[in-house]
Amino acid sequence: MKHRTMAALLAAVTMAAVPMAAMSQEMPDVHFKVIGGGSHNYTFSAVEKPFWEKTLPEASGGRVTAELAGLSEVGLKGPEILRLMRRNALDVGMGVFAFVSGDDAMLEGVDLPGMAPDIATARRMVRSYRPALAARMRDHHGVHLLATVPYTAQVFFCREPVNHLEDLKGRKIRTRGRNMADFVSALGGSPVTIAFAEVIPALQTGVVDCAVSGIGSGNAAKWYDVAKHLYNLPIDWSIGFYAMGEQRWQRLDPEVQRLLQQQADVLEARLWDETARENAYALACNSGQGDCRIHTPADMRATQPNDAEREQLRAVASQVAGQWGKRCGAACAGAWSESVGQALKVTLP
């Protein structure tokens, strides 16, 4: 009886293996040229590079391979990514919604400022908005959404202390994107547009008093050398995406499509989990308190809004979201309210 049981088990395993082996043999060889995020970012080396160069090829039995390059390494700045994918000028690309939303305000809804005080809330927002986002990218931009990409919390690096929310009033603050500028203006600050690479001299010379960027990115760029105060108020999470042109996607073999989307889901989960870890470590590193890993230890004085100020911030976030809703249009605002709004219990006018 034992011999028959073992024989039956081996037969079942063999039968299950045959379709997988056949599928691997039938899948065509495909090689993707991929433009990822900034190679200076922690998740580029920790998640993106091993995924494209090891995880995906292994999952396909070596049939699907990729080579990854950083955004700056190929001479791109970010806003052109959607256009290049739509024209099939690149295979797979990574972009940030705030950088590519100049022609389409709907894309900004994935990461409205002040709506996500923590990364768990940001993840819930993105999951809720993803169906509408994917449809918009496909129908209006000719792009197939593969995965969403978070970065660390966008917080304030300041020269002078920020003990209370009121302390931001009147300060010149470097921002990124229209929504972030609207949020800073609603707090009483004066938004200033300055390239990331120019922030340190701008802080040194007083062109700006504070600069907003990822809590990890600011550390990597050594902003702590000139900005000794960190105000841990996440404006947004600089949500991005991995995608490819819809025409390129439709030309892929169905088995390659299935594998690529399945593995893109793996990439997405790893990016969100690893960014959550990085965010906690970056706060500890910048403040010089707690478990500092990944980034460089600094001695910034870190503060954050109190409970009363958080209530005020929710009102500001709703105000800025309402401004975005008017700019985006009734249908756009309605789609947001029915997805993200339901998840956060927020309804746009």
Side-chain angles (χ1 to χ4, degrees):
M1 178 65 75
K2 289 183 178 178
H3 290 296
R4 282 199 295 270
T5 302
M6 181 60 70
L9 178 61
L10 289 172
V13 170
T14 301
M15 290 178 66
V18 169
M20 293 187 67
M23 182 176 64
S24 177
Q25 291 172 0
E26 293 170 2
M27 184 183 297
D29 292 336
V30 181
H31 182 74
F32 294 114
K33 290 187 177 180
V34 182
I35 297 177
S39 56
H40 62 281
N41 292 317
Y42 163 71
T43 48
F44 183 90
S45 57
V47 180
E48 295 175 62
K49 191 173 180 65
F51 170 82
W52 291 110
E53 297 181 357
K54 183 177 180 182
T55 303
L56 181 63
E58 288 181 352
S60 67
R63 295 282 187 175
V64 181
T65 58
E67 57 182 292
L68 175 68
L71 193 68
S72 59
E73 295 166 11
V74 293
L76 299 178
K77 295 182 179 179
E80 67 274 59
I81 285 292
L82 277 183
R83 296 193 298 273
L84 291 173
M85 285 189 287
R86 183 169 60 245
R87 296 169 184 167
N88 297 311
L90 59 89
D91 292 332
V92 179
M94 203 287 285
V96 176
F97 284 110
F99 294 159
V100 301
S101 60
D103 298 328
D104 189 352
M106 189 272 183
L107 302 180
E108 299 174 79
V110 72
D111 197 23
L112 291 182
M115 287 289 175
D118 52 65
I119 196 167
T121 303
R123 196 169 189 174
R124 196 162 75 249
M125 287 177 62
V126 173
R127 283 173 175 165
S128 302
Y129 203 52
R130 180 166 181 154
L133 196 63
R136 184 75 171 194
M137 293 177 74
R138 180 190 65 236
D139 298 339
H140 289 259
H141 299 282
V143 168
H144 179 84
L145 176 63
L146 290 169
T148 59
V149 179
Y151 284 104
T152 53
Q154 301 288 301
V155 298
F156 295 80
F157 290 76
C158 296
R159 293 188 306 162
E160 301 297 329
V162 182
N163 297 313
H164 303 287
L165 191 60
E166 293 279 323
D167 294 339
L168 293 175
K169 286 187 175 181
R171 296 199 189 185
K172 295 168 291 185
I173 301 172
R174 181 262 181 183
T175 60
R176 178 267 297 132
R178 177 167 178 174
N179 277 332
M180 184 182 287
D182 288 346
F183 190 82
V184 165
S185 294
L187 294 178
S190 298
V192 180
T193 300
I194 292 178
F196 185 88
E198 299 171 6
V199 167
I200 286 184
L203 285 166
Q204 288 173 327
T205 58
V207 172
V208 294
D209 304 302
C210 302
V212 177
S213 187
I215 194 170
S217 301
N219 180 282
K222 302 185 184 304
W223 286 9
Y224 51 77
D225 284 341
V226 292
K228 297 299 184 181
H229 302 273
L230 178 74
Y231 192 48
N232 189 24
L233 161 58
I235 295 184
D236 61 42
W237 297 83
S238 202
I239 302 298
F241 59 89
Y242 262 108
M244 68 187 308
E246 182 66 22
Q247 291 182 351
R248 178 81 170 94
W249 170 260
Q250 292 299 337
R251 288 200 301 265
L252 292 176
D253 181 90
E255 283 302 325
V256 176
Q257 286 183 342
R258 181 199 60 77
L259 174 80
L260 183 57
Q261 187 58 68
Q262 181 186 65
Q263 292 303 308
D265 293 343
V266 172
L267 171 64
E268 180 175 270
R270 288 180 181 173
L271 283 167
W272 280 93
D273 291 344
E274 197 61 30
T275 299
R277 290 179 64 249
E278 182 192 1
N279 199 77
Y281 292 145
L283 176 60
C285 291
N286 282 314
S287 65
Q289 299 179 0
D291 189 7
C292 173
R293 304 183 194 180
I294 299 173
H295 295 291
T296 304
D299 59 352
M300 299 182 73
R301 181 172 179 267
T303 56
Q304 61 185 13
N306 57 38
D307 291 341
E309 289 169 334
R310 292 188 189 282
E311 287 296 324
Q312 183 180 347
L313 287 167
R314 277 191 280 271
V316 171
S318 295
Q319 173 190 332
V320 174
Q323 293 172 353
W324 167 79
K326 291 178 182 178
R327 190 169 77 250
C328 194
C332 175
W336 190 93
S337 295
E338 292 170 5
S339 55
V340 181
Q342 286 190 7
L344 302 184
K345 296 180 172 55
V346 175
T347 301
L348 297 183

